[in-house]
Amino acid sequence: MSRRNQMIAMVALLIILASLLNGCASKAPSPIQDTAKQEQAIMEKFTKMIEDQNSTAAQVVQYIDANHSAVSKENAVVMVSGLEQKQKAGLPDIEKRFADDEALQAALARAHQKSGSTDYTNAVEDTAVKERLAAAKNSGYKIETAEGMYYPVIDYEMYKKYQSNLTPDFAAYIDIMTVESQQPPAKDAALRISWDELVKRTLAQERYLAQYPDSPKTTEIKMLLNKYAMFALYGTNNTPLFDYDTKQMAAEAKKGYLETAWDDKNGVFSKTMRQYVTVLKKNDESLTRQVREFQNQSSQEITMAMNRYYVAGFDDAAQFEAVFTRLQGLVAVGNKESVADYILYPLNVYSQGVPTTYTSREELLKSYDTVFTAIVKEALAKQKVNETFVNYKGVMAGSGEIWFTQSDDLKYRYGILAINK
C-alpha cells in the first residue's frame, strides 16, 4: 500500500472511531439527567409515603435523613414541610394516648423527681415506657410537662440537621421554632422567659415577616407573633404585666419596653408597642382605664392583622391552612375515608338551591361521588388558601362550592360545613 493510501485509510479509520464514540456518548445519559431522574424518583416515593395514612412520622424522618441532601432546596422544603404536617396531624392522637396512660405518667413523674434535671426522661426505668419514649423521639417529638401532666411536642431542634439543605426562609423558620421548642415562653399560666427575651423574640418574628413576606411559613409566624403580642400587652395570669393589687407595671417589663427603639416600619406589633409606651408614660406606667382600653383595642387590631380568618371565628390560621391543604390533597387522590373525617355533620349539600342532608360519614361515603363532583373537586383544587373569601359565616372555596367552619365536634377542628354542587 502506498504512503498516500495509508494516510487515507488512517483518516477513514479515525472518522469511523469518532462516529462510534459520538454515538455511544449520545446514548449514555449525562450526570445531570441521572440526577434529575433520581430526584424525581425520590420525590414520587416521598409523596406516596406522605399520602399513605398508615405511614408513620418515624418512617418519614428516616426517609428524609437518607434523601434530603440528594434533592434541591425547594424539594427539601417540601419534604420537611410534609414531615411537620405529619407530626401535627398525629399529635392529637399521641397526646391523648400519653394523657390516658397512667403508668406512663407515673413513670415520668418518678423519673422527673429522681433526676431533677431537664434530661429526666433518661432516668425512666420502666421498659415499656422507655419504648414509648423512644418511639416518640424517633418520630420527632420531645416530652414537656405542665400542670403535672407529661405530653409530647414537636422537637424542632431535630430539624436543625436539615437546615443547610433548605431555602433561607425555611431555615430561618426552623431557627425561630427551635427557640420555642427549647424554651416555651409560658407554662402553667406563667411566663418562663424574661420580659427582655419576650421583646427579643417578638422583634425576630416581626423581622421574619418583613424579610420573607411570601414564605409558606408566614402564617405560622403570624400566629406565633400574635400570641407573643398578647403576652406583651397583658402578661399572663400568673405573670401579669400589671400587679393585681398595686396596678403598677412590672419593673423589668417597664425597663425593657421604654428602652426599646420601637420602629413603625418593622410592622404592626412595633407600631402598637410604640403607641403603648406613649400611653403608659401618660398614665405613670400603671393600669388605668385608658391603658385597659388601649390593651383591648390593640389586641383585637393585632389579631385581625395576624389572622385573616378572624372574622370567621377561626382562632388558629396556621392550623386551618394546614387542614385546607391536607384536604386538597386527599380529595385530589380520592381518599374518601379520610375526606369524611373533615366533614361537620350533618352536612348540607345544595343542588340548585335544594339541600340534601347527610347525617353521618356512612351516609356521605355511600354518595361520595355525587357530592364531590368534578366541579366541586376542581374548585377546591384551584383555590389558593390565602385568597379564600372570608366572612362571619366561614371560609369559602371557589365560587361557593365549599364552605369551611371551625368546630370542636370536628376531628381536626376545621372542616367542611356545606357544599354547593
Side-chain angles (χ1 to χ4, degrees):
M1 184 182 291
S2 68
R3 185 177 182 85
R4 180 172 178 274
N5 288 339
Q6 286 179 334
M7 291 294 294
I8 293 172
M10 288 180 63
V11 169
L13 180 62
L14 289 172
I15 292 172
I16 292 171
L17 288 171
S19 176
L20 290 171
L21 289 171
N22 286 335
C24 292
S26 64
K27 292 178 182 177
S30 69
I32 294 176
Q33 288 174 325
D34 278 343
T35 301
K37 287 183 178 179
Q38 180 189 20
E39 181 166 354
Q40 182 180 356
I42 289 171
M43 295 309 298
E44 286 176 354
K45 187 173 180 181
F46 176 78
T47 300
K48 290 180 181 178
M49 180 179 290
I50 286 296
E51 291 175 353
D52 183 357
Q53 297 296 304
N54 295 318
S55 68
T56 66
Q59 290 173 328
V60 176
V61 169
Q62 288 182 338
Y63 190 80
I64 296 177
D65 285 350
N67 295 287
H68 74 277
S69 59
V71 300
S72 67
K73 290 191 174 186
E74 289 73 21
N75 275 335
V77 166
V78 171
M79 296 173 82
V80 174
S81 294
L83 170 59
E84 184 186 31
Q85 291 307 317
K86 191 84 169 177
Q87 289 174 311
K88 287 181 176 180
L91 200 52
D93 180 60
I94 191 173
E95 282 176 339
K96 186 176 187 307
R97 284 189 279 118
F98 264 64
D100 293 344
D101 193 330
E102 294 182 3
L104 180 144
Q105 293 290 329
L108 284 169
R110 285 194 300 270
H112 199 174
Q113 185 177 20
K114 179 180 178 180
S115 172
S117 71
T118 55
D119 296 327
Y120 61 89
T121 54
N122 293 325
V124 171
E125 298 176 352
D126 187 296
T127 302
V129 173
K130 278 185 177 181
E131 291 175 355
R132 291 279 302 279
L133 296 177
K137 183 177 181 180
N138 291 338
S139 296
Y141 299 112
K142 60 184 287 190
I143 308 304
E144 286 287 350
T145 180
E147 298 181 353
M149 292 295 292
Y150 296 86
Y151 54 91
V153 297
I154 296 176
D155 182 10
Y156 282 95
E157 193 168 5
M158 178 271 294
Y159 283 73
K160 285 282 191 179
K161 59 188 174 184
Y162 308 130
Q163 268 190 311
S164 62
N165 292 100
L166 300 174
T167 56
D169 65 303
F170 210 95
Y173 168 75
I174 296 302
D175 281 333
I176 290 175
M177 297 309 294
T178 297
V179 171
E180 296 299 300
S181 178
Q182 289 173 334
Q183 188 177 15
K187 280 186 182 181
D188 299 327
L191 286 179
R192 296 298 185 182
I193 59 175
S194 67
W195 292 101
D196 283 344
E197 176 66 14
L198 189 149
V199 170
K200 178 182 175 182
R201 292 188 187 187
T202 51
L203 292 177
Q205 294 156 17
E206 202 166 43
R207 282 195 299 272
Y208 182 96
L209 295 175
Q211 189 171 358
Y212 305 111
D214 299 320
S215 170
K217 289 301 174 184
T218 293
T219 300
E220 279 93 336
I221 298 300
K222 282 184 175 181
M223 295 309 299
L224 185 63
L225 178 55
N226 186 66
K227 179 174 72 174
Y228 272 82
M230 299 307 110
F231 290 154
L233 287 170
Y234 297 103
T236 65
N237 288 342
N238 292 332
T239 312
L241 182 60
F242 297 95
D243 186 272
Y244 286 123
D245 297 322
T246 67
K247 307 300 181 184
Q248 291 299 303
M249 186 177 179
E252 184 190 347
K254 175 180 174 180
K255 182 175 182 295
Y257 288 11
L258 270 58
E259 290 180 355
T260 299
W262 303 106
D263 188 343
D264 290 12
K265 295 178 182 178
N266 291 338
V268 64
F269 174 75
S270 286
K271 180 179 179 180
T272 299
M273 291 303 292
R274 179 189 60 76
Q275 296 170 341
Y276 197 21
V277 167
T278 299
V279 173
L280 290 169
K281 286 180 178 179
K282 288 181 179 179
N283 290 272
D284 298 321
E285 294 84 34
S286 60
L287 184 59
T288 63
R289 180 177 179 180
Q290 184 183 18
V291 170
R292 178 63 73 187
E293 289 175 351
F294 181 88
Q295 287 176 321
N296 295 339
Q297 180 180 343
S298 296
S299 65
Q300 185 173 13
E301 290 174 353
I302 290 175
T303 297
M304 291 183 71
M306 296 297 110
N307 180 1
R308 69 182 300 272
Y309 313 105
Y310 176 76
V311 174
F314 291 17
D315 55 26
D316 191 334
Q319 186 178 351
F320 166 68
E321 291 188 356
V323 165
F324 187 95
T325 303
R326 199 180 309 140
L327 189 56
Q328 280 182 313
L330 293 172
V331 171
V333 299
N335 192 331
K336 302 176 183 180
E337 290 284 344
S338 294
V339 170
D341 288 336
Y342 293 85
I343 307 296
L344 179 62
Y345 300 99
L347 172 70
N348 286 321
V349 178
Y350 295 87
S351 178
Q352 297 181 337
V354 179
T356 300
T357 302
Y358 298 88
T359 60
S360 66
R361 61 180 287 120
E362 290 74 21
E363 283 189 16
L364 174 65
L365 289 171
K366 289 178 182 178
S367 305
Y368 183 92
D369 292 328
T370 61
V371 173
F372 284 88
T373 62
I375 293 175
V376 172
K377 291 178 182 178
E378 183 180 12
L380 181 61
K382 290 184 176 181
Q383 181 66 64
K384 294 181 180 179
V385 66
N386 60 352
E387 295 178 1
T388 48
F389 173 77
V390 183
N391 67 15
Y392 70 95
K393 295 180 180 179
V395 176
M396 183 182 82
S399 300
E401 284 84 357
I402 301 178
W403 281 87
F404 290 85
T405 189
Q406 172 179 309
S407 172
D408 289 336
D409 292 332
L410 284 160
K411 184 175 180 180
Y412 302 105
R413 293 191 72 234
Y414 299 97
I416 296 176
L417 170 67
I419 291 177
N420 294 287
K421 61 177 184 174

